[in-house]
Amino acid sequence: MEHYDWNDGWLFTPEFTPALVGADRPQGLEEVRIPHTVRPLPYNYCNENDYQLLCGYRREFFAPKEWEGRTVLLTFGAVAHDATIFCNGRRLFHHGCGYTAFTVDLTEALHLGQQNVVAVRCDSRENLDIPPFGGRIDYLTYGGIYRAVSLDIKEPAYLRDVFIQAKAEGGFRISSSTVGETVGCALQAEIRSPAGAKAVYTGELALPITGTLNGVHPWSLDHPFLYTLTVRLIRPGTSGLPDRVLDEKTLRFGFRTIQFVAGGLYLNGQRVQIRGLNRHQSYPYQGYAMPDSVQRLDAQYLKKELGCNAVRTSHYPNDPYFLHLCDVYGLYVIGETNLETHGTWQKLGADDADLWTIPGSRPEWREGVLARAEAMLERDKNHPAILIWSCGNESYAGEDILAMSQFFHDHDPGRLVHYEGVFHCRAFDAISDMESRMYAKPWEIREYLESHPKKPFILCEYMHDMGNSLGGMESYVRLADEFDQYQGGFIWDYMDQALRHTDALGRSVLGYGGDFADRNTDYNFSGNGIVYADGAEKPAMQDVRYWYDTPARRAAHDARNAAAAARAD
């Protein structure tokens, strides 16, 4: 077993040609490091066509003869948005989603003992057949290999996947899948506590490993205890030879129990009140291509500076390192599928659902919709921070999204499923485990909660923070004091989408729609974060900090202000 980070040594061209996949290196390639964006946006104007292009990446490497008889796997964290992978001129793999990871088996295409070439045809142009481009979206999508790349050298038989489901009381179930000839092999699972205590379990490949670990510390916001699981694939020794470890996977997980009943959302028996924020993963100029250090700053800021306890990954799976930090710091997560098509059914107030809606109940979209759900679940299912799966954003409803919801429930029954779109189409109300709405008025929420509903209420978006906004937040927060079924909500959103430019007075300012001679435009509609695009705080942050604090600390804050006012008088 060997693992290599493959983020260095790449060559890039903004124009893909067939020569890129061949043995001879073309002229004019640029050396780049992953994460990489196909074209940084300029300081003085914005045109989304700049990063929508057909480009290419190339990496040359030596494959030693010691790899003979072993399996060589190349994994991409994400390539925006349509990727075709070649090795030594052979087309090996195609992946049509810019937000999920994929793995390519290079084994049969390698030339051992020689130099080899891996090439990536990267198409960042909008394609109507690849969500979210099947309908209008209101965010920039960028392009490139913008998440980490790694290379793994494995035995012919190896672990494909490991999934642990662990309850707050200590019960657990470990399931796994393998590749290759594993007859006679066994599994060994080692669970290590945060203090270093170790427990070892063995099992058969065909059956999950189950058990109970006594005295566990459950994962929670205030105490995000993480345990370490190592699963080994073992081939028993023969003729006096020792057992051989063919492969192993190590991950961190938490013991916790999620319940969503008519009375609300509970974690480990304690009622959960969401103090959340929506987070896009884009940044000025570089788009999605940001290192782990920036992911860490975001997670720390949300948890420690703002007092948030939850993040919705709007509107696609976020960087896996960010999710890891949510596990470590104690942040709830709604993991959202890459699907948004509101331009296909929100037309001047008309619905037109049956005629135009994508995906709706269209059979030709079913496979693609489910593929995105599966890719997100398989990548992120061991993160204790993820309490809820989301079926996407503003895509109405229909049989396709219902199938996605059923997939989540069938493959991960320990989590909940969210989808706001059923509010517009009650025929598919079964899609969502909760009543979710956007920008509902406080009195509308009260009316719902006073009707003795079957489902608790959550705001997946509220307090759209444009301009000098965020007033009246108290009206929402106070609802939690009256109604157990009110779970709180997610402010829209974390950071402005804007670019710095020089204005008519020669000043360096952040520009929004219309500032770059762009027409048509929504003007500053994308300037709806609680921080500016450069990370500077807006005045609205004072309200967020106050109302996302505990009632006791708010009371102490009020007392200090009253005392200061009295002294001033």
Side-chain angles (χ1 to χ4, degrees):
M1 298 169 288
E2 302 171 40
H3 176 84
Y4 302 97
D5 291 333
W6 250 38
N7 295 321
D8 292 309
W10 288 90
L11 302 170
F12 171 75
T13 175
E15 296 182 10
F16 177 86
T17 64
L20 191 70
V21 310
D24 296 329
R25 181 190 299 184
Q27 296 294 317
L29 302 184
E30 174 191 0
E31 293 185 8
V32 299
R33 190 181 191 278
I34 307 303
H36 179 256
T37 191
V38 295
R39 183 170 294 165
L41 294 181
Y43 283 75
N44 59 337
Y45 77 100
C46 177
N47 185 340
E48 69 274 16
N49 294 319
D50 280 358
Y51 60 76
Q52 293 188 33
L53 45 90
L54 180 60
C55 61
Y57 293 85
R58 176 186 172 101
R59 196 182 193 279
E60 301 165 6
F61 65 102
F62 182 78
K65 291 183 178 180
E66 288 76 14
W67 290 359
E68 178 73 38
R70 305 177 76 185
T71 301
V72 181
L73 303 175
L74 180 61
T75 298
F76 293 85
V79 181
H81 286 269
D82 184 88
T84 305
I85 312 302
F86 300 84
C87 183
N88 295 325
R90 291 176 55 179
R91 182 184 186 276
L92 297 184
F93 196 85
H94 172 259
H95 185 72
C97 176
Y99 300 99
T100 50
F102 60 94
T103 298
V104 185
D105 189 339
L106 303 181
T107 309
E108 296 301 322
L110 290 176
H111 299 154
L112 299 182
Q114 302 177 40
Q115 284 292 114
N116 291 257
V117 174
V118 164
V120 180
R121 178 186 183 273
C122 174
D123 191 346
S124 57
R125 297 172 297 186
E126 293 190 4
N127 184 335
L128 294 180
D129 295 327
I130 298 177
F133 303 120
R136 186 183 68 188
I137 56 175
D138 52 7
Y139 52 90
L140 302 177
T141 54
Y142 307 99
I145 305 177
Y146 68 92
R147 288 183 185 159
V149 183
S150 61
L151 187 75
D152 289 279
I153 316 301
K154 294 182 175 292
E155 298 296 327
Y158 60 91
L159 290 164
R160 184 204 304 272
D161 177 63
V162 171
F163 182 24
I164 182 166
Q165 298 162 287
K167 299 295 185 180
E169 300 78 16
F172 63 86
R173 181 180 189 271
I174 304 169
S175 54
S176 62
S177 62
T178 60
V179 176
E181 180 55 61
T182 57
V183 174
C185 291
L187 288 177
Q188 181 190 84
E190 175 186 301
I191 296 177
R192 190 179 295 271
S193 75
K198 183 172 65 175
V200 178
Y201 307 83
T202 58
E204 302 176 14
L205 292 182
L207 299 172
I209 297 175
T210 59
T212 300
L213 198 62
N214 296 323
V216 301
H217 298 284
W219 185 93
S220 66
L221 285 181
D222 297 326
H223 304 286
F225 288 104
L226 292 176
Y227 289 70
T228 301
L229 169 67
T230 300
V231 175
R232 299 181 180 92
L233 177 63
I234 298 175
R235 189 180 299 281
T238 58
S239 303
L241 295 175
D243 294 349
R244 184 181 174 204
V245 177
L246 300 180
D247 194 18
E248 70 177 36
K249 282 185 176 290
T250 298
L251 58 91
R252 301 180 78 184
F253 73 98
F255 289 89
R256 85 280 189 275
T257 301
I258 308 165
Q259 293 174 295
F260 210 48
V261 296
L265 173 62
Y266 289 80
L267 181 70
N268 307 332
Q270 301 295 316
R271 179 169 174 259
V272 171
Q273 179 64 32
I274 297 293
R275 305 188 302 273
L277 202 64
N278 284 275
R279 176 186 184 259
H280 270 297
Q281 65 179 15
S282 59
Y283 298 85
Y285 319 118
Q286 288 299 110
Y288 297 157
M290 281 294 172
D292 289 351
S293 58
V294 176
Q295 310 290 340
R296 187 183 306 111
L297 286 173
D298 277 4
Q300 290 174 338
Y301 197 79
L302 296 177
K303 173 76 175 186
K304 299 177 181 180
E305 294 293 327
L306 289 178
C308 291
N309 67 6
V311 182
R312 176 180 173 226
T313 66
S314 52
H315 300 295
Y316 37 75
N318 277 198
D319 191 287
Y321 186 68
F322 178 79
L323 298 179
H324 162 71
L325 294 170
C326 292
D327 296 338
V328 171
Y329 295 147
L331 282 165
Y332 302 137
V333 175
I334 290 185
E336 188 148 278
T337 310
N338 166 33
L339 183 67
E340 178 171 353
T341 64
H342 67 255
T344 69
W345 60 277
Q346 293 180 354
K347 303 180 185 66
L348 300 177
D351 185 327
D352 290 335
D354 294 335
L355 183 60
W356 298 107
T357 298
I358 292 176
S361 299
R362 298 172 184 267
E364 65 270 25
W365 275 77
R366 184 77 50 86
E367 181 180 353
V369 166
L370 290 177
R372 276 144 191 78
E374 181 179 8
M376 178 177 70
L377 184 144
E378 292 302 324
R379 191 197 72 169
D380 297 338
K381 61 190 177 184
N382 289 305
H383 287 285
I386 297 179
L387 307 188
I388 301 169
W389 298 119
S390 174
C391 294
N393 182 63
E394 295 179 332
S395 300
Y396 201 65
E399 294 292 342
D400 291 353
I401 296 178
L402 178 61
M404 186 195 297
S405 174
Q406 291 170 339
F407 172 85
F408 286 135
H409 282 117
D410 292 345
H411 289 80
D412 192 6
R415 286 188 173 96
L416 309 166
V417 177
H418 160 274
Y419 185 60
E420 177 267 345
V422 299
F423 173 68
H424 305 281
C425 185
R426 291 300 186 185
F428 291 93
D429 201 56
I431 290 174
S432 184
D433 293 327
M434 59 207 75
E435 175 74 6
S436 174
R437 300 187 195 175
M438 295 180 179
Y439 310 110
K441 311 295 190 301
W443 55 89
E444 294 172 339
I445 301 172
R446 177 180 294 278
E447 181 181 355
Y448 172 84
L449 294 171
E450 288 178 343
S451 69
H452 306 291
K454 294 181 180 179
K455 296 180 180 181
F457 188 100
I458 195 167
L459 281 162
C460 63
E461 295 178 21
Y462 80 121
M463 304 305 296
H464 194 277
D465 191 32
M466 287 176 60
N468 190 25
S469 186
L470 217 83
M473 190 173 173
E474 176 183 7
S475 301
Y476 291 97
V477 174
R478 295 296 190 196
L479 288 170
D481 299 333
E482 296 184 56
F483 301 98
D484 287 345
Q485 285 186 301
Y486 180 67
Q487 301 302 144
F490 296 82
I491 293 170
W492 188 268
D493 63 346
Y494 172 45
M495 180 179 286
D496 282 2
Q497 295 186 69
L499 296 169
R500 189 168 292 282
H501 74 124
T502 302
D503 68 6
L505 299 178
R507 300 171 302 181
S508 177
V509 298
L510 286 166
Y512 300 88
D515 290 333
F516 305 95
D518 49 321
R519 299 293 188 273
N520 297 320
T521 180
D522 279 338
Y523 296 96
N524 69 332
F525 196 80
S526 63
N528 44 34
I530 59 172
V531 300
Y532 294 105
D534 59 3
E537 295 184 2
K538 292 184 178 180
M541 288 280 291
Q542 296 180 52
D543 255 14
V544 176
R545 283 197 180 97
Y546 180 82
W547 290 112
Y548 272 2
D549 211 339
T550 65
R553 285 201 284 254
R554 289 203 303 266
H557 179 87
D558 292 343
R560 288 193 299 271
N561 282 351
R567 288 194 300 271
D569 290 342

